[in-house]
Amino acid sequence: MEKFVCHCGIVAPVDQVDVNTDVIIPKQFLKSIYRTGYGENLFDSLRYLDEGVLGQGAKNRAINKEFPLNFPRYADASILLTQRNFGCGSSREHAVWALRDYGFRALIAPRFADIFASNCVKNGVLAVELPETTVKKLFEALYRQPNYQLTIDLQTCRITSDDGINIVFTMDPSIRERLLHGWDDIAVTLQEADAIHQFELQQQKKYPWLWSPLKGQSR
Amino acid sequence: MKQTLYDKLWDHHLVKQWKDGTALIYIDRHLLHEVTSPQAFAGLREENRLPRRPQANVATVDHAIPTTRSERSAGIVGIGDDDARLQVQTLDEYCHYFDIRQYGIQHAWQGIVHVIGPELGLTLPGMTVVCGDSHTTTHGAFSSLAHGIGTSEVEHVLATQCLVRKKMKNMQVVITGQLPKHVSAKDVVLALISQIGNAGGQGHAIEFAGNVVSELSIEGRMTLCNMAIEAGARVGLVAVDDRTVDYFHNRPFAPSGEYWHRAERYWRSLTSDTDAYFDKVYSMDVSEMEPQVSWGTSPDMVVPISGKIPDPQAQSDAGVRSAMEQALTYMDLVPGTSISDIALDRIFIGSCTNARIEDLRAAAAILKGKRIAKSLKQALVVPGSQQVKRQAEKEALDQIFIAAGMEWREPGCSMCLAMNADKLENGERCASTSNRNFEGRQGYGGRTHLVSPAMAAAAAVAGHFVDCRFIAPEVAH
Ligand code: SF4
């Protein structure tokens, strides 16, 4: 997994509450069996005026000029500023893959939905939660200045900008560690193989029915 | 220490606890389907890893598969959509490669993951259950600790049989009163979400309690827990009681003989201790409850059938107001409209929320001897599993649906998420027994209203929403 240490980039707004994962990446793109290739279809129903099809590409599609991500000034954005409960709904990790693929490294909102937040960590995407009032201030600053940039430093848990923003954020220490080091979660857990094995032996004694082989025909 | 049900299930599966609160939780059952697993299997193979305990995993196909008899009868090769066929094929190959049990497209036990898990006894009380699908909360209805997970976590569980988690807080929802006839678990949970909001349970494991929950069937409890995620809760739970124990008697993979007795003894301990501490408690009385209908694009935008479309101007919170306005525009509705004046294009009875036998019976009771409205373009009934389908056919429920002018399909997720051909056209409006009314969920530009099976059936007869109690025959139950 890619590390997240410190990132400076242009901020783009999606100024809506409850943006669910069906909106972040609509279901027709879930038919892909890969982890990449979703960037062009991020926010598909908001970015385009026509219905997207898997594998069709962005060319020849009707662009929704009113959607901020289509404004030239946000073309190189890598930080997304949004409202509360972002990522609610379906557990599809494709939502994070799409954000990552598009180029977003960090997300800022008052609150993220649970499953979505864990999916972010697994993909080296930093999801920073800030109080509603602070998010509101950031939106105001962003709307005032074109090419508004923020620097998010995970080592110091601080967000800064040229216009004097200096925000300290809180981050779950274990998530912070994982992101800073870019650890492979599976490799970390496999170091606990002994503990897992001990647990299994105990469980076989206490709850043996959970270990009965599944009989009968499958496939 | 007094413990909640969630505390107990957590403790019984704790492999390791770190100081910062992170824990390693052992997973007893992992359910897989074709849409969120191929990338996980690919990751495993790339890293040269093997599933730690292949027997703990069971796969089926449900999300992307077609539901017409003609496409289904030819098996995988019969799937018309190239991408969906590739997904199903990929799952099949990986299951073969990694030696994982699969109830494939033509198996007699195929069905929606959350329907087949309990009905086969693959998921049992006291188990930890995960699946790459947020509605895994369903299995909490019989005290299994069930989490929806993302694809990276699917890979993690395959490789380690564990999940990295922090313990959540405890929330109790106490449901009391006398549930009126033809008002169902679906109405209760829709009303609950409208009251506590789509993030009202976030960060919490919700335990449903109270006399109404005790009186619900296991199927009804599954409907409650299924939609806990729509209130933002990753886990929903109901304590074990006689009904739970009875439900698992003679299920194909439930324990038997000496193991049954040991299991039953353990299961009966799966309740919250009296006076256990809950961080949040929410109480609701359902005696006056009406059938509910969602009007917007979030599952907390719900009103009773006698209600009207609410006015965003009455809202003080700017975020809520603009979300409501956006929802009304998308849904093409104006404030003040009576719910019963909303006309429909399609009806969908199905999904892991409401496609079990009890749901089909409730719908059939309303539809018996009636025809669906001529104004409808389509009314689909999609059973949750092959077993449900066979049972319904045994009871001739399929004949009631077909005689009414509805389509009786093969099991799958179908129009719940519209990954296959079952979908709404742009601008069409649907009464649906599924769980999400998000923009485009049932098809690009499609408009979804969430309701109970009885309400969907009543709407099918009328062509618009109507209180199912006006249509229901007063048969003695
Ligand atoms: S029926 Fe709908 S909610 Fe349930 S598993 Fe299938 S897609 Fe998900």
Side-chain angles (χ1 to χ4, degrees):
Chain A
M1 183 184 94
E2 196 179 346
K3 291 181 193 180
F4 190 106
V5 180
C6 183
H7 178 79
C8 174
I10 293 180
V11 188
V14 170
D15 200 349
Q16 294 176 20
V17 298
D18 299 335
V19 175
N20 62 64
T21 52
D22 272 83
V23 168
I24 300 173
I25 186 84
K27 54 14 201 32
Q28 60 268 40
F29 307 107
L30 269 49
K31 284 190 195 151
S32 158
I33 55 166
Y34 306 104
R35 275 179 203 254
T36 51
Y38 299 94
E40 277 189 341
N41 302 106
L42 173 70
F43 298 122
D44 199 85
S45 60
L46 299 174
R47 263 164 79 197
Y48 305 99
L49 295 168
D50 53 356
E51 182 181 358
V53 196
L54 180 65
Q56 133 213 56
K59 267 185 237 143
N60 305 325
R61 290 194 61 187
I63 302 288
N64 176 7
K65 296 216 171 78
E66 281 164 31
F67 186 61
L69 287 197
N70 289 328
F71 300 175
R73 64 174 181 276
Y74 299 127
D76 296 320
S78 58
I79 298 173
L80 186 74
L81 182 65
T82 183
Q83 298 286 11
R84 64 172 179 260
N85 209 21
F86 188 82
C88 60
S90 147
S91 63
R92 57 187 73 166
E93 196 161 319
H94 311 66
V96 181
W97 297 335
L99 287 158
R100 185 69 198 83
D101 242 18
Y102 180 91
F104 287 116
R105 292 275 2 240
L107 318 169
I108 302 173
R111 195 174 65 229
F112 295 93
D114 283 346
I115 303 182
F116 176 82
S118 0
N119 287 340
C120 284
V121 183
K122 310 280 179 193
N123 291 279
V125 172
L126 178 68
V128 183
E129 293 188 336
L130 295 176
E132 295 253 359
T133 46
T134 315
V135 169
K136 193 161 172 248
K137 276 192 201 123
L138 286 176
F139 267 108
E140 284 162 10
L142 162 68
Y143 288 140
R144 259 195 317 268
Q145 307 170 44
N147 295 327
Y148 189 64
Q149 294 202 8
L150 288 174
T151 301
I152 307 179
D153 190 339
L154 187 57
Q155 289 161 300
T156 56
C157 286
R158 209 171 268 280
I159 301 180
T160 51
S161 73
D162 291 345
D163 64 344
I165 292 252
N166 191 341
I167 302 165
V168 176
F169 61 89
T170 51
M171 179 61 51
D172 181 307
S174 62
I175 291 177
R176 182 170 164 272
E177 283 289 290
R178 278 168 201 266
L179 283 168
L180 282 175
H181 296 96
W183 280 331
D184 167 7
D185 262 354
I186 297 179
V188 174
T189 301
L190 287 175
Q191 290 172 5
E192 305 298 334
D194 278 348
I196 301 172
H197 184 61
Q198 285 309 318
F199 180 92
E200 289 177 334
L201 292 177
Q202 244 185 46
Q203 205 199 32
Q204 283 167 40
K205 273 198 215 121
K206 268 169 98 177
Y207 315 115
W209 63 91
L210 296 178
W211 289 78
S212 307
L214 299 178
K215 296 199 194 86
Q217 210 198 338
S218 84
R219 279 168 73 87
Chain B
M1 248 292 269
K2 307 267 189 216
Q3 287 192 304
T4 63
L5 170 57
Y6 173 64
D7 295 339
K8 292 182 187 179
L9 292 167
W10 175 272
D11 278 4
H12 297 174
H13 291 90
L14 194 60
V15 173
K16 178 155 182 159
Q17 173 83 60
W18 283 275
K19 280 207 195 72
D20 65 5
T22 317
L24 214 53
I25 293 296
Y26 193 77
I27 301 303
D28 299 319
R29 178 71 70 225
H30 183 194
L31 302 173
L32 299 114
H33 61 83
E34 76 275 27
V35 172
T36 56
S37 64
Q39 293 90 345
F41 282 123
L44 218 55
R45 194 150 71 175
E46 272 160 37
E47 298 290 328
N48 249 321
R49 286 169 174 150
L50 288 172
R52 179 177 176 87
R53 200 179 144 198
Q55 279 269 316
N57 301 278
V58 178
T60 191
V61 286
D62 54 4
H63 278 64
I65 55 171
T67 58
T68 54
R69 180 81 52 89
S70 55
E71 269 191 274
R72 287 285 280 274
S73 56
I76 297 179
V77 294
I79 303 176
D81 181 306
D82 291 344
D83 301 314
R85 191 172 58 249
L86 178 63
Q87 265 184 330
V88 173
Q89 185 77 50
T90 306
L91 177 70
D92 190 64
E93 283 165 14
Y94 280 126
C95 284
H96 202 56
Y97 180 83
F98 287 118
D99 196 19
I100 284 172
R101 171 170 295 248
Q102 185 203 175
Y103 297 121
I105 188 158
Q106 285 184 305
H107 197 281
W109 285 347
Q110 175 271 338
I112 303 174
V113 269
H114 309 310
V115 177
I116 71 163
E119 80 181 3
L120 293 173
L122 286 167
T123 54
L124 294 168
M127 272 185 170
T128 39
V129 175
V130 294
C131 174
D133 183 282
S134 58
H135 291 97
T136 310
T137 50
T138 313
H139 309 263
F142 40 87
S143 295
S144 97
L145 178 56
H147 292 92
I149 56 176
T151 296
S152 294
E153 289 176 314
V154 169
E155 187 178 338
H156 188 276
V157 171
L158 282 166
T160 68
Q161 211 52 46
C162 288
L163 196 60
V164 180
R165 266 284 168 281
K166 275 197 167 175
K167 200 174 166 192
M168 295 182 286
K169 290 187 188 155
N170 282 288
M171 176 169 178
Q172 188 184 37
V173 172
V174 186
I175 309 171
T176 53
Q178 167 100 46
L179 196 62
K181 215 167 153 189
H182 298 295
V183 180
S184 69
K186 180 66 165 291
D187 300 300
V188 173
V189 74
L190 284 172
L192 171 72
I193 298 164
S194 76
Q195 291 169 28
I196 66 173
N198 63 1
Q202 198 174 21
H204 291 76
I206 296 184
E207 180 177 344
F208 297 96
N211 70 294
V212 173
V213 179
S214 312
E215 288 153 22
L216 281 178
S217 65
I218 300 302
E219 283 84 355
R221 296 177 193 179
M222 286 192 222
T223 303
L224 275 187
C225 291
N226 174 278
M227 292 201 59
I229 184 69
E230 308 310 332
R234 222 169 165 171
V235 163
L237 288 167
V238 177
V240 170
D241 60 10
D242 289 343
R243 289 189 179 196
T244 321
V245 174
D246 289 348
Y247 177 89
F248 286 100
H249 247 298
N250 298 323
R251 300 271 162 196
F253 296 110
S256 57
E258 162 60 12
Y259 281 175
W260 170 265
H261 297 294
R262 283 180 72 174
E264 180 182 343
R265 220 173 309 137
Y266 171 59
W267 294 349
R268 289 195 184 273
S269 72
L270 298 175
T271 57
S272 287
D273 296 334
T274 338
D275 299 328
Y277 176 74
F278 287 90
D279 302 87
K280 243 189 196 180
V281 177
Y282 187 83
S283 304
M284 65 193 285
D285 186 286
V286 297
S287 304
E288 306 288 315
M289 186 173 284
E290 292 177 39
Q292 307 283 311
V293 180
S294 82
W295 58 267
T297 53
S298 169
D300 56 358
M301 295 173 169
V302 170
V303 287
I305 175 67
S306 69
K308 292 183 185 331
I309 301 294
D311 188 352
Q313 296 314 317
Q315 277 295 330
S316 51
D317 182 290
V320 175
R321 197 164 53 233
S322 81
M324 284 175 75
E325 281 164 355
Q326 197 184 330
L328 288 177
T329 310
Y330 182 84
M331 295 295 289
D332 192 27
L333 291 168
V334 285
T337 309
S338 293
I339 296 298
S340 53
D341 285 343
I342 300 174
L344 297 152
D345 301 300
R346 291 184 203 250
I347 307 290
F348 173 61
I349 297 176
S351 90
C352 60
T353 312
N354 282 132
R356 286 173 285 269
I357 189 69
E358 170 179 298
D359 302 309
L360 301 186
R361 285 180 191 142
I366 302 262
L367 284 154
K368 189 163 188 182
K370 301 203 175 63
R371 292 279 308 168
I372 61 168
K374 289 218 171 59
S375 54
L376 291 176
K377 290 187 185 140
Q378 183 182 47
L380 280 183
V381 187
V382 187
S385 70
Q386 298 288 354
Q387 291 214 83
V388 169
K389 180 167 183 262
R390 283 194 297 275
Q391 180 61 33
E393 288 172 354
K394 214 165 110 192
E395 298 176 23
L397 304 182
D398 59 324
Q399 295 309 316
I400 296 177
F401 297 128
I402 293 165
M406 303 174 104
E407 295 174 39
W408 178 244
R409 295 291 187 90
E410 296 294 311
C413 298
S414 180
M415 211 196 272
C416 172
L417 91 166
M419 275 187 79
N420 64 6
D422 310 341
K423 55 176 128 184
L424 302 180
E425 298 289 321
N426 201 345
E428 283 180 351
R429 193 180 294 284
C430 180
S432 175
T433 66
S434 56
N435 42 54
R436 285 192 175 131
N437 50 354
F438 297 155
E439 289 187 15
R441 171 80 179 184
Q442 294 195 290
Y444 184 80
R447 299 172 178 135
T448 303
H449 295 273
L450 305 174
V451 288
S452 71
M455 281 293 285
V461 174
H464 56 85
F465 286 114
V466 58
D467 192 327
C468 56
R469 294 173 295 185
F470 298 160
I471 293 197
E474 272 323 298
V475 285
H477 278 275

